[in-house]
Amino acid sequence: MPRKNKSSVSAVENKGTTNDTEQSKSIKAEDPDNVKSESVLDLSKFKFEKKSRVKIEFENDSPTKDDKKGLWEPANWKDFLVNLRIMRANNDAPVDSMGCHMCMDENAPPKVIRYQSLISLMLSSQTKDQVTFAAMERLRSKGLTVDNVLAMSDEELGQLIYPVGFWKTKVKYIKKTTQTLKEQYDGDIPDSVEKLCKLTGVGPKMAHICMKVAWNKVTGIGVDTHVHRISNRIGWVKKPTATPEETRKSLQTWLPFDLWSEVNHLMVGFGQTICLPVGPMCHECLNRDICPSSDKGRKSPSKKSPTKKSPKRRKVKEIKQEDR
């Protein structure tokens, strides 16, 4: 291995020493004040503007929950429900024996049963259960199937469903809807609310009830005239509603899902027997003490208000006394 030249090594060492000496001299030569002044930035050349705050708002499509109050719900609604069940325990309302769920031929094929449930709901609009049930019996006696209805003339179909409400319009609706089922659904009915509502003469109330009766699926509360009226009377809607669809949306914001399928049947029967459209039987209602509308119904027969005697009757009585 070759040995390093002593002169070259010493030259490198001398060079390193020289560099260190020069660096130290340069550091000492620097003025400390100058270094300090150079390290501080001159902020005067920068402009700082105060920006306004941006307010961010979010749309509330669904009800928000207040930490203290929670979601809105009617006062005493659980007590109302218990009393409704008690009053409906006898199943003595027309809907119990002649409602749409009782109008189908149980021995028919499933597809035919589903079709019959849809037809019964279409007939039930603006019609009492007794009238709908009788019309369905006449239709079934002729064979209530898609093919048989399409083979009927409008006149024959009208005679079978009369006197349901708006029977002439319903003849057209039934014929057109049945034709759609034949062409698009192989004679069956749609299996969703969205598709059902596209059928002629079918609305949200019919669609939700049909999904439960025909397909055994709970998709929403079926709100008819009884449910709409009673929900507003007993304060089960946060604000008064003008249409059954508004009532449905309001009820579904707070009523537990497992009660959706029950509330229609309870209220319809209750509206047919006690909470009548005109002259509700408040004196027979178990909710009379907690109902906000209990003072608007009929008074108990045992509590008759004193009647004033008319002047004519008094005059006749006075004349008779004079004759004596």
Side-chain angles (χ1 to χ4, degrees):
M1 182 175 181
R3 296 181 180 179
K4 291 184 180 180
N5 192 339
K6 293 182 179 181
S7 59
S8 62
V9 173
S10 60
V12 172
E13 291 176 352
N14 292 334
K15 186 177 180 180
T17 305
T18 304
N19 292 335
D20 294 339
T21 305
E22 291 176 356
Q23 188 175 2
S24 61
K25 287 180 180 179
S26 63
I27 293 173
K28 290 179 181 180
E30 290 179 352
D31 187 358
D33 296 333
N34 293 336
V35 175
K36 185 176 180 181
S37 61
E38 289 179 359
S39 62
V40 178
L41 295 175
D42 184 9
L43 300 180
S44 62
K45 60 182 179 181
F46 298 98
K47 294 183 179 180
F48 295 92
E49 296 180 357
K50 187 177 180 181
K51 295 183 178 180
S52 58
R53 293 183 178 181
V54 179
K55 187 178 180 181
I56 301 176
E57 297 181 350
F58 299 92
E59 292 184 358
N60 293 325
D61 293 332
S62 58
T64 55
K65 188 171 183 178
D66 189 333
D67 293 336
K68 295 181 179 180
K69 297 182 180 179
L71 286 174
W72 179 88
E73 61 181 31
N76 305 314
W77 74 268
K78 292 182 179 178
D79 295 331
F80 260 94
L81 182 63
V82 171
N83 290 333
L84 278 177
R85 287 171 174 164
I86 294 172
M87 289 184 284
R88 293 282 289 111
N90 293 331
N91 294 320
D92 53 358
V95 69
D96 296 314
S97 57
M98 292 176 282
C100 294
H101 62 293
M102 302 295 290
C103 292
M104 294 89 72
D105 182 3
E106 296 180 355
N107 298 319
K111 187 185 293 187
V112 174
I113 292 177
R114 288 192 288 268
Y115 173 68
Q116 291 180 358
S117 69
L118 178 61
I119 297 300
S120 67
L121 284 164
M122 293 178 71
L123 294 176
S124 68
S125 177
Q126 301 294 318
T127 306
K128 292 183 177 181
D129 287 333
Q130 300 92 316
V131 178
T132 300
F133 188 81
M136 284 295 295
E137 284 190 322
R138 291 191 294 271
L139 285 170
R140 284 169 50 190
S141 67
K142 296 290 184 179
L144 184 51
T145 64
V146 169
D147 292 332
N148 288 345
V149 169
L150 290 176
M152 291 181 188
S153 65
D154 290 0
E155 183 180 0
E156 182 183 5
L157 182 58
Q159 290 174 351
L160 291 172
I161 69 172
Y162 179 84
V164 299
F166 305 101
W167 65 273
K168 291 182 180 180
T169 302
K170 289 177 181 178
V171 167
K172 298 176 182 178
Y173 286 172
I174 290 172
K175 274 298 191 72
K176 192 169 183 179
T177 290
T178 303
Q179 187 66 42
T180 301
L181 299 180
K182 176 75 172 178
E183 295 174 354
Q184 299 182 18
Y185 297 96
D186 191 28
D188 207 343
I189 68 172
D191 59 355
S192 71
V193 171
E194 182 181 2
K195 293 177 181 178
L196 282 167
C197 287
K198 290 180 180 179
L199 298 174
T200 305
V202 179
K205 184 261 297 189
M206 296 182 199
H208 287 298
I209 296 177
C210 190
M211 287 298 297
K212 172 58 180 174
V213 176
W215 295 106
N216 197 28
K217 294 179 182 178
V218 179
T219 55
I221 300 173
V223 179
D224 67 347
T225 180
H226 294 290
V227 180
H228 172 60
R229 178 183 73 254
I230 294 170
S231 295
N232 278 271
R233 274 184 180 173
I234 66 178
W236 274 24
V237 288
K238 190 173 183 179
K239 297 178 181 179
T241 53
T243 65
E245 184 62 6
E246 288 180 12
T247 300
R248 180 187 69 82
K249 292 178 180 179
S250 181
L251 287 173
Q252 290 182 185
T253 61
W254 67 268
L255 191 67
F257 176 77
D258 58 348
L259 298 175
W260 286 12
S261 61
E262 181 186 12
V263 70
N264 172 272
H265 195 72
L266 284 176
M267 285 195 180
V268 170
F270 180 57
Q272 291 176 338
T273 55
I274 296 177
C275 198
L276 305 174
V278 180
M281 312 285 285
C282 294
H283 59 282
E284 294 183 7
C285 181
L286 298 180
N287 287 319
R288 58 184 175 272
D289 294 332
I290 55 177
C291 178
S293 301
S294 60
D295 59 335
K296 299 177 183 179
R298 301 181 191 179
K299 303 299 181 183
S300 174
S302 60
K303 297 180 180 179
K304 294 182 180 180
S305 57
T307 56
K308 295 182 179 180
K309 295 181 180 180
S310 63
K312 289 184 179 180
R313 292 183 64 184
R314 286 181 180 177
K315 207 167 186 180
V316 171
K317 193 172 182 180
E318 290 174 359
I319 292 171
K320 287 183 179 180
Q321 288 178 349
E322 289 177 0
D323 292 340
R324 288 180 183 178

mmCIF file of all heavy atoms in Angstrom, residues 189-234:
data_model
loop_
_atom_site.group_PDB
_atom_site.id
_atom_site.type_symbol
_atom_site.label_atom_id
_atom_site.label_comp_id
_atom_site.label_asym_id
_atom_site.label_seq_id
_atom_site.Cartn_x
_atom_site.Cartn_y
_atom_site.Cartn_z
ATOM 1 N N ILE A 189 -100.534 -6.745 -9.956
ATOM 2 C CA ILE A 189 -100.499 -5.320 -9.601
ATOM 3 C C ILE A 189 -99.062 -4.937 -9.233
ATOM 4 O O ILE A 189 -98.267 -5.799 -8.830
ATOM 5 C CB ILE A 189 -101.456 -5.002 -8.432
ATOM 6 C CG1 ILE A 189 -100.968 -5.644 -7.128
ATOM 7 C CG2 ILE A 189 -102.871 -5.443 -8.764
ATOM 8 C CD1 ILE A 189 -101.747 -5.215 -5.895
ATOM 9 N N PRO A 190 -98.698 -3.674 -9.343
ATOM 10 C CA PRO A 190 -97.343 -3.233 -8.971
ATOM 11 C C PRO A 190 -97.040 -3.513 -7.512
ATOM 12 O O PRO A 190 -97.946 -3.580 -6.679
ATOM 13 C CB PRO A 190 -97.366 -1.729 -9.268
ATOM 14 C CG PRO A 190 -98.473 -1.540 -10.246
ATOM 15 C CD PRO A 190 -99.505 -2.566 -9.906
ATOM 16 N N ASP A 191 -95.749 -3.626 -7.207
ATOM 17 C CA ASP A 191 -95.333 -3.950 -5.840
ATOM 18 C C ASP A 191 -94.641 -2.779 -5.150
ATOM 19 O O ASP A 191 -93.823 -2.972 -4.247
ATOM 20 C CB ASP A 191 -94.405 -5.168 -5.837
ATOM 21 C CG ASP A 191 -93.154 -4.941 -6.682
ATOM 22 O OD1 ASP A 191 -93.062 -3.880 -7.346
ATOM 23 O OD2 ASP A 191 -92.281 -5.826 -6.690
ATOM 24 N N SER A 192 -94.953 -1.560 -5.558
ATOM 25 C CA SER A 192 -94.401 -0.376 -4.899
ATOM 26 C C SER A 192 -95.421 0.754 -4.944
ATOM 27 O O SER A 192 -96.280 0.803 -5.835
ATOM 28 C CB SER A 192 -93.100 0.081 -5.571
ATOM 29 O OG SER A 192 -93.355 0.642 -6.847
ATOM 30 N N VAL A 193 -95.318 1.650 -3.974
ATOM 31 C CA VAL A 193 -96.234 2.784 -3.908
ATOM 32 C C VAL A 193 -96.078 3.676 -5.131
ATOM 33 O O VAL A 193 -97.058 4.168 -5.695
ATOM 34 C CB VAL A 193 -95.979 3.602 -2.613
ATOM 35 C CG1 VAL A 193 -96.775 4.905 -2.622
ATOM 36 C CG2 VAL A 193 -96.344 2.787 -1.386
ATOM 37 N N GLU A 194 -94.842 3.881 -5.522
ATOM 38 C CA GLU A 194 -94.573 4.751 -6.680
ATOM 39 C C GLU A 194 -95.269 4.233 -7.937
ATOM 40 O O GLU A 194 -95.905 5.000 -8.676
ATOM 41 C CB GLU A 194 -93.065 4.834 -6.910
ATOM 42 C CG GLU A 194 -92.670 5.756 -8.050
ATOM 43 C CD GLU A 194 -91.169 5.792 -8.275
ATOM 44 O OE1 GLU A 194 -90.438 5.059 -7.564
ATOM 45 O OE2 GLU A 194 -90.729 6.536 -9.167
ATOM 46 N N LYS A 195 -95.176 2.946 -8.176
ATOM 47 C CA LYS A 195 -95.792 2.365 -9.378
ATOM 48 C C LYS A 195 -97.314 2.327 -9.255
ATOM 49 O O LYS A 195 -98.027 2.540 -10.239
ATOM 50 C CB LYS A 195 -95.244 0.958 -9.614
ATOM 51 C CG LYS A 195 -93.778 0.929 -9.983
ATOM 52 C CD LYS A 195 -93.282 -0.502 -10.131
ATOM 53 C CE LYS A 195 -91.800 -0.537 -10.474
ATOM 54 N NZ LYS A 195 -91.288 -1.927 -10.566
ATOM 55 N N LEU A 196 -97.811 2.056 -8.063
ATOM 56 C CA LEU A 196 -99.262 2.025 -7.861
ATOM 57 C C LEU A 196 -99.887 3.400 -8.115
ATOM 58 O O LEU A 196 -100.961 3.506 -8.706
ATOM 59 C CB LEU A 196 -99.593 1.557 -6.446
ATOM 60 C CG LEU A 196 -99.495 0.053 -6.169
ATOM 61 C CD1 LEU A 196 -99.539 -0.226 -4.676
ATOM 62 C CD2 LEU A 196 -100.601 -0.710 -6.891
ATOM 63 N N CYS A 197 -99.207 4.444 -7.672
ATOM 64 C CA CYS A 197 -99.741 5.802 -7.836
ATOM 65 C C CYS A 197 -99.747 6.256 -9.298
ATOM 66 O O CYS A 197 -100.413 7.244 -9.637
ATOM 67 C CB CYS A 197 -98.938 6.793 -6.992
ATOM 68 S SG CYS A 197 -99.266 6.674 -5.220
ATOM 69 N N LYS A 198 -99.031 5.548 -10.144
ATOM 70 C CA LYS A 198 -99.038 5.879 -11.568
ATOM 71 C C LYS A 198 -100.259 5.298 -12.280
ATOM 72 O O LYS A 198 -100.554 5.671 -13.417
ATOM 73 C CB LYS A 198 -97.756 5.378 -12.235
ATOM 74 C CG LYS A 198 -96.512 6.153 -11.824
ATOM 75 C CD LYS A 198 -95.273 5.617 -12.518
ATOM 76 C CE LYS A 198 -94.036 6.408 -12.101
ATOM 77 N NZ LYS A 198 -92.803 5.889 -12.762
ATOM 78 N N LEU A 199 -100.956 4.387 -11.607
ATOM 79 C CA LEU A 199 -102.167 3.818 -12.193
ATOM 80 C C LEU A 199 -103.307 4.834 -12.136
ATOM 81 O O LEU A 199 -103.418 5.606 -11.181
ATOM 82 C CB LEU A 199 -102.568 2.547 -11.444
ATOM 83 C CG LEU A 199 -101.566 1.386 -11.460
ATOM 84 C CD1 LEU A 199 -102.043 0.269 -10.545
ATOM 85 C CD2 LEU A 199 -101.352 0.874 -12.877
ATOM 86 N N THR A 200 -104.159 4.801 -13.126
ATOM 87 C CA THR A 200 -105.290 5.732 -13.191
ATOM 88 C C THR A 200 -106.257 5.484 -12.036
ATOM 89 O O THR A 200 -106.705 4.359 -11.816
ATOM 90 C CB THR A 200 -106.042 5.573 -14.521
ATOM 91 O OG1 THR A 200 -105.120 5.741 -15.600
ATOM 92 C CG2 THR A 200 -107.149 6.598 -14.645
ATOM 93 N N GLY A 201 -106.560 6.537 -11.283
ATOM 94 C CA GLY A 201 -107.530 6.435 -10.200
ATOM 95 C C GLY A 201 -106.969 5.943 -8.882
ATOM 96 O O GLY A 201 -107.733 5.670 -7.950
ATOM 97 N N VAL A 202 -105.643 5.840 -8.775
ATOM 98 C CA VAL A 202 -105.017 5.354 -7.534
ATOM 99 C C VAL A 202 -104.184 6.469 -6.917
ATOM 100 O O VAL A 202 -103.316 7.045 -7.580
ATOM 101 C CB VAL A 202 -104.131 4.120 -7.793
ATOM 102 C CG1 VAL A 202 -103.468 3.658 -6.497
ATOM 103 C CG2 VAL A 202 -104.952 2.999 -8.404
ATOM 104 N N GLY A 203 -104.475 6.785 -5.641
ATOM 105 C CA GLY A 203 -103.734 7.819 -4.926
ATOM 106 C C GLY A 203 -102.892 7.237 -3.806
ATOM 107 O O GLY A 203 -102.867 6.020 -3.598
ATOM 108 N N PRO A 204 -102.191 8.095 -3.061
ATOM 109 C CA PRO A 204 -101.307 7.637 -1.980
ATOM 110 C C PRO A 204 -102.012 6.793 -0.923
ATOM 111 O O PRO A 204 -101.481 5.778 -0.475
ATOM 112 C CB PRO A 204 -100.774 8.946 -1.382
ATOM 113 C CG PRO A 204 -100.890 9.937 -2.481
ATOM 114 C CD PRO A 204 -102.123 9.553 -3.251
ATOM 115 N N LYS A 205 -103.225 7.205 -0.530
ATOM 116 C CA LYS A 205 -103.944 6.452 0.505
ATOM 117 C C LYS A 205 -104.207 5.027 0.045
ATOM 118 O O LYS A 205 -103.929 4.059 0.762
ATOM 119 C CB LYS A 205 -105.266 7.152 0.832
ATOM 120 C CG LYS A 205 -106.054 6.502 1.961
ATOM 121 C CD LYS A 205 -107.179 5.589 1.521
ATOM 122 C CE LYS A 205 -108.265 6.265 0.750
ATOM 123 N NZ LYS A 205 -109.450 5.392 0.527
ATOM 124 N N MET A 206 -104.725 4.882 -1.165
ATOM 125 C CA MET A 206 -104.994 3.551 -1.711
ATOM 126 C C MET A 206 -103.700 2.745 -1.842
ATOM 127 O O MET A 206 -103.668 1.545 -1.536
ATOM 128 C CB MET A 206 -105.637 3.665 -3.093
ATOM 129 C CG MET A 206 -106.989 4.327 -3.116
ATOM 130 S SD MET A 206 -107.635 4.337 -4.797
ATOM 131 C CE MET A 206 -108.878 5.606 -4.662
ATOM 132 N N ALA A 207 -102.645 3.412 -2.305
ATOM 133 C CA ALA A 207 -101.384 2.717 -2.548
ATOM 134 C C ALA A 207 -100.800 2.141 -1.264
ATOM 135 O O ALA A 207 -100.365 0.978 -1.221
ATOM 136 C CB ALA A 207 -100.391 3.668 -3.208
ATOM 137 N N HIS A 208 -100.784 2.925 -0.199
ATOM 138 C CA HIS A 208 -100.207 2.453 1.067
ATOM 139 C C HIS A 208 -101.042 1.318 1.671
ATOM 140 O O HIS A 208 -100.472 0.336 2.195
ATOM 141 C CB HIS A 208 -100.089 3.605 2.057
ATOM 142 C CG HIS A 208 -98.996 4.578 1.731
ATOM 143 N ND1 HIS A 208 -97.668 4.217 1.684
ATOM 144 C CD2 HIS A 208 -99.041 5.903 1.421
ATOM 145 C CE1 HIS A 208 -96.935 5.274 1.372
ATOM 146 N NE2 HIS A 208 -97.739 6.297 1.204
ATOM 147 N N ILE A 209 -102.362 1.441 1.609
ATOM 148 C CA ILE A 209 -103.215 0.372 2.131
ATOM 149 C C ILE A 209 -103.082 -0.882 1.270
ATOM 150 O O ILE A 209 -103.040 -2.007 1.781
ATOM 151 C CB ILE A 209 -104.681 0.834 2.205
ATOM 152 C CG1 ILE A 209 -104.823 1.988 3.201
ATOM 153 C CG2 ILE A 209 -105.596 -0.331 2.627
ATOM 154 C CD1 ILE A 209 -106.227 2.557 3.297
ATOM 155 N N CYS A 210 -103.011 -0.695 -0.038
ATOM 156 C CA CYS A 210 -102.878 -1.829 -0.959
ATOM 157 C C CYS A 210 -101.566 -2.578 -0.717
ATOM 158 O O CYS A 210 -101.528 -3.805 -0.786
ATOM 159 C CB CYS A 210 -102.953 -1.346 -2.403
ATOM 160 S SG CYS A 210 -103.093 -2.681 -3.614
ATOM 161 N N MET A 211 -100.501 -1.842 -0.434
ATOM 162 C CA MET A 211 -99.216 -2.488 -0.160
ATOM 163 C C MET A 211 -99.313 -3.381 1.079
ATOM 164 O O MET A 211 -98.705 -4.454 1.132
ATOM 165 C CB MET A 211 -98.125 -1.432 0.039
ATOM 166 C CG MET A 211 -97.683 -0.742 -1.239
ATOM 167 S SD MET A 211 -96.959 -1.882 -2.448
ATOM 168 C CE MET A 211 -95.516 -2.464 -1.554
ATOM 169 N N LYS A 212 -100.087 -2.951 2.052
ATOM 170 C CA LYS A 212 -100.258 -3.743 3.270
ATOM 171 C C LYS A 212 -101.174 -4.938 3.031
ATOM 172 O O LYS A 212 -100.856 -6.077 3.402
ATOM 173 C CB LYS A 212 -100.818 -2.854 4.388
ATOM 174 C CG LYS A 212 -101.216 -3.600 5.655
ATOM 175 C CD LYS A 212 -100.043 -4.371 6.257
ATOM 176 C CE LYS A 212 -100.475 -5.117 7.517
ATOM 177 N NZ LYS A 212 -99.403 -5.983 8.043
ATOM 178 N N VAL A 213 -102.328 -4.699 2.387
ATOM 179 C CA VAL A 213 -103.326 -5.755 2.191
ATOM 180 C C VAL A 213 -102.858 -6.777 1.152
ATOM 181 O O VAL A 213 -102.972 -7.989 1.360
ATOM 182 C CB VAL A 213 -104.684 -5.152 1.776
ATOM 183 C CG1 VAL A 213 -105.692 -6.255 1.466
ATOM 184 C CG2 VAL A 213 -105.229 -4.251 2.880
ATOM 185 N N ALA A 214 -102.335 -6.291 0.034
ATOM 186 C CA ALA A 214 -101.976 -7.180 -1.069
ATOM 187 C C ALA A 214 -100.587 -7.789 -0.935
ATOM 188 O O ALA A 214 -100.380 -8.962 -1.236
ATOM 189 C CB ALA A 214 -102.076 -6.422 -2.399
ATOM 190 N N TRP A 215 -99.619 -6.977 -0.493
ATOM 191 C CA TRP A 215 -98.225 -7.442 -0.441
ATOM 192 C C TRP A 215 -97.698 -7.641 0.974
ATOM 193 O O TRP A 215 -96.555 -8.055 1.161
ATOM 194 C CB TRP A 215 -97.323 -6.445 -1.171
ATOM 195 C CG TRP A 215 -97.583 -6.344 -2.644
ATOM 196 C CD1 TRP A 215 -98.212 -5.330 -3.303
ATOM 197 C CD2 TRP A 215 -97.231 -7.299 -3.653
ATOM 198 N NE1 TRP A 215 -98.271 -5.580 -4.654
ATOM 199 C CE2 TRP A 215 -97.675 -6.791 -4.895
ATOM 200 C CE3 TRP A 215 -96.588 -8.541 -3.627
ATOM 201 C CZ2 TRP A 215 -97.486 -7.471 -6.098
ATOM 202 C CZ3 TRP A 215 -96.403 -9.221 -4.823
ATOM 203 C CH2 TRP A 215 -96.854 -8.684 -6.039
ATOM 204 N N ASN A 216 -98.510 -7.302 1.980
ATOM 205 C CA ASN A 216 -98.107 -7.433 3.386
ATOM 206 C C ASN A 216 -96.833 -6.636 3.682
ATOM 207 O O ASN A 216 -95.939 -7.085 4.395
ATOM 208 C CB ASN A 216 -97.903 -8.904 3.778
ATOM 209 C CG ASN A 216 -97.897 -9.103 5.284
ATOM 210 O OD1 ASN A 216 -98.514 -8.341 6.027
ATOM 211 N ND2 ASN A 216 -97.179 -10.116 5.741
ATOM 212 N N LYS A 217 -96.762 -5.442 3.117
ATOM 213 C CA LYS A 217 -95.634 -4.549 3.348
ATOM 214 C C LYS A 217 -96.158 -3.212 3.871
ATOM 215 O O LYS A 217 -97.090 -2.646 3.317
ATOM 216 C CB LYS A 217 -94.846 -4.312 2.053
ATOM 217 C CG LYS A 217 -94.149 -5.540 1.493
ATOM 218 C CD LYS A 217 -93.422 -5.183 0.202
ATOM 219 C CE LYS A 217 -92.748 -6.403 -0.420
ATOM 220 N NZ LYS A 217 -92.076 -6.056 -1.704
ATOM 221 N N VAL A 218 -95.546 -2.713 4.941
ATOM 222 C CA VAL A 218 -95.934 -1.419 5.498
ATOM 223 C C VAL A 218 -95.044 -0.353 4.877
ATOM 224 O O VAL A 218 -93.841 -0.321 5.110
ATOM 225 C CB VAL A 218 -95.797 -1.398 7.030
ATOM 226 C CG1 VAL A 218 -96.177 -0.025 7.577
ATOM 227 C CG2 VAL A 218 -96.661 -2.480 7.663
ATOM 228 N N THR A 219 -95.646 0.517 4.082
ATOM 229 C CA THR A 219 -94.893 1.576 3.413
ATOM 230 C C THR A 219 -95.290 2.961 3.881
ATOM 231 O O THR A 219 -94.586 3.939 3.615
ATOM 232 C CB THR A 219 -95.100 1.486 1.889
ATOM 233 O OG1 THR A 219 -96.501 1.528 1.607
ATOM 234 C CG2 THR A 219 -94.524 0.193 1.336
ATOM 235 N N GLY A 220 -96.395 3.068 4.568
ATOM 236 C CA GLY A 220 -96.872 4.358 5.050
ATOM 237 C C GLY A 220 -98.239 4.216 5.681
ATOM 238 O O GLY A 220 -98.848 3.146 5.649
ATOM 239 N N ILE A 221 -98.724 5.286 6.283
ATOM 240 C CA ILE A 221 -100.038 5.283 6.933
ATOM 241 C C ILE A 221 -101.107 5.587 5.894
ATOM 242 O O ILE A 221 -101.013 6.576 5.163
ATOM 243 C CB ILE A 221 -100.095 6.325 8.059
ATOM 244 C CG1 ILE A 221 -99.030 6.026 9.112
ATOM 245 C CG2 ILE A 221 -101.479 6.332 8.714
ATOM 246 C CD1 ILE A 221 -98.903 7.102 10.180
ATOM 247 N N GLY A 222 -102.111 4.744 5.828
ATOM 248 C CA GLY A 222 -103.236 5.009 4.941
ATOM 249 C C GLY A 222 -104.175 6.012 5.586
ATOM 250 O O GLY A 222 -104.844 5.696 6.572
ATOM 251 N N VAL A 223 -104.219 7.219 5.045
ATOM 252 C CA VAL A 223 -105.036 8.280 5.640
ATOM 253 C C VAL A 223 -106.251 8.554 4.763
ATOM 254 O O VAL A 223 -106.133 9.118 3.675
ATOM 255 C CB VAL A 223 -104.212 9.573 5.829
ATOM 256 C CG1 VAL A 223 -105.091 10.681 6.418
ATOM 257 C CG2 VAL A 223 -103.019 9.311 6.737
ATOM 258 N N ASP A 224 -107.411 8.150 5.244
ATOM 259 C CA ASP A 224 -108.654 8.450 4.539
ATOM 260 C C ASP A 224 -109.344 9.610 5.251
ATOM 261 O O ASP A 224 -108.745 10.281 6.098
ATOM 262 C CB ASP A 224 -109.551 7.211 4.479
ATOM 263 C CG ASP A 224 -110.068 6.812 5.852
ATOM 264 O OD1 ASP A 224 -109.542 7.326 6.867
ATOM 265 O OD2 ASP A 224 -110.999 5.994 5.927
ATOM 266 N N THR A 225 -110.598 9.833 4.932
ATOM 267 C CA THR A 225 -111.310 10.971 5.520
ATOM 268 C C THR A 225 -111.453 10.845 7.038
ATOM 269 O O THR A 225 -111.411 11.843 7.758
ATOM 270 C CB THR A 225 -112.711 11.105 4.868
ATOM 271 O OG1 THR A 225 -113.389 12.216 5.451
ATOM 272 C CG2 THR A 225 -113.562 9.851 5.088
ATOM 273 N N HIS A 226 -111.601 9.607 7.546
ATOM 274 C CA HIS A 226 -111.728 9.405 8.993
ATOM 275 C C HIS A 226 -110.419 9.720 9.710
ATOM 276 O O HIS A 226 -110.403 10.442 10.716
ATOM 277 C CB HIS A 226 -112.153 7.971 9.299
ATOM 278 C CG HIS A 226 -113.522 7.619 8.820
ATOM 279 N ND1 HIS A 226 -114.668 8.137 9.376
ATOM 280 C CD2 HIS A 226 -113.933 6.790 7.821
ATOM 281 C CE1 HIS A 226 -115.728 7.649 8.759
ATOM 282 N NE2 HIS A 226 -115.307 6.829 7.801
ATOM 283 N N VAL A 227 -109.322 9.165 9.228
ATOM 284 C CA VAL A 227 -108.019 9.388 9.860
ATOM 285 C C VAL A 227 -107.647 10.870 9.792
ATOM 286 O O VAL A 227 -107.109 11.432 10.753
ATOM 287 C CB VAL A 227 -106.939 8.529 9.182
ATOM 288 C CG1 VAL A 227 -105.583 8.753 9.838
ATOM 289 C CG2 VAL A 227 -107.306 7.050 9.240
ATOM 290 N N HIS A 228 -107.941 11.488 8.672
ATOM 291 C CA HIS A 228 -107.641 12.920 8.492
ATOM 292 C C HIS A 228 -108.433 13.767 9.489
ATOM 293 O O HIS A 228 -107.870 14.640 10.166
ATOM 294 C CB HIS A 228 -107.986 13.319 7.052
ATOM 295 C CG HIS A 228 -107.899 14.787 6.789
ATOM 296 N ND1 HIS A 228 -106.729 15.515 6.951
ATOM 297 C CD2 HIS A 228 -108.847 15.677 6.376
ATOM 298 C CE1 HIS A 228 -106.961 16.781 6.642
ATOM 299 N NE2 HIS A 228 -108.226 16.900 6.303
ATOM 300 N N ARG A 229 -109.720 13.491 9.595
ATOM 301 C CA ARG A 229 -110.591 14.270 10.487
ATOM 302 C C ARG A 229 -110.204 14.071 11.950
ATOM 303 O O ARG A 229 -110.037 15.046 12.696
ATOM 304 C CB ARG A 229 -112.054 13.846 10.269
ATOM 305 C CG ARG A 229 -113.038 14.571 11.188
ATOM 306 C CD ARG A 229 -114.458 14.063 10.993
ATOM 307 N NE ARG A 229 -114.690 12.733 11.538
ATOM 308 C CZ ARG A 229 -114.822 11.629 10.817
ATOM 309 N NH1 ARG A 229 -114.734 11.674 9.512
ATOM 310 N NH2 ARG A 229 -115.039 10.459 11.403
ATOM 311 N N ILE A 230 -110.038 12.831 12.360
ATOM 312 C CA ILE A 230 -109.771 12.532 13.773
ATOM 313 C C ILE A 230 -108.394 13.031 14.190
ATOM 314 O O ILE A 230 -108.224 13.541 15.303
ATOM 315 C CB ILE A 230 -109.914 11.017 14.026
ATOM 316 C CG1 ILE A 230 -111.371 10.600 13.809
ATOM 317 C CG2 ILE A 230 -109.467 10.657 15.435
ATOM 318 C CD1 ILE A 230 -111.587 9.102 13.801
ATOM 319 N N SER A 231 -107.405 12.883 13.335
ATOM 320 C CA SER A 231 -106.049 13.340 13.672
ATOM 321 C C SER A 231 -106.033 14.828 13.971
ATOM 322 O O SER A 231 -105.319 15.288 14.872
ATOM 323 C CB SER A 231 -105.090 13.029 12.523
ATOM 324 O OG SER A 231 -104.961 11.638 12.336
ATOM 325 N N ASN A 232 -106.825 15.594 13.239
ATOM 326 C CA ASN A 232 -106.907 17.031 13.503
ATOM 327 C C ASN A 232 -107.725 17.320 14.755
ATOM 328 O O ASN A 232 -107.404 18.247 15.513
ATOM 329 C CB ASN A 232 -107.517 17.748 12.297
ATOM 330 C CG ASN A 232 -106.507 18.025 11.197
ATOM 331 O OD1 ASN A 232 -105.843 19.052 11.184
ATOM 332 N ND2 ASN A 232 -106.362 17.084 10.278
ATOM 333 N N ARG A 233 -108.761 16.540 14.989
ATOM 334 C CA ARG A 233 -109.606 16.765 16.172
ATOM 335 C C ARG A 233 -108.855 16.519 17.469
ATOM 336 O O ARG A 233 -108.971 17.288 18.425
ATOM 337 C CB ARG A 233 -110.832 15.847 16.118
ATOM 338 C CG ARG A 233 -112.001 16.398 15.332
ATOM 339 C CD ARG A 233 -113.191 15.450 15.427
ATOM 340 N NE ARG A 233 -114.341 15.952 14.673
ATOM 341 C CZ ARG A 233 -115.453 15.268 14.487
ATOM 342 N NH1 ARG A 233 -115.582 14.049 15.018
ATOM 343 N NH2 ARG A 233 -116.440 15.776 13.781
ATOM 344 N N ILE A 234 -108.098 15.448 17.510
ATOM 345 C CA ILE A 234 -107.444 15.064 18.771
ATOM 346 C C ILE A 234 -106.040 15.645 18.906
ATOM 347 O O ILE A 234 -105.347 15.380 19.884
ATOM 348 C CB ILE A 234 -107.393 13.523 18.915
ATOM 349 C CG1 ILE A 234 -106.479 12.886 17.859
ATOM 350 C CG2 ILE A 234 -108.785 12.934 18.846
ATOM 351 C CD1 ILE A 234 -106.347 11.382 17.988
#
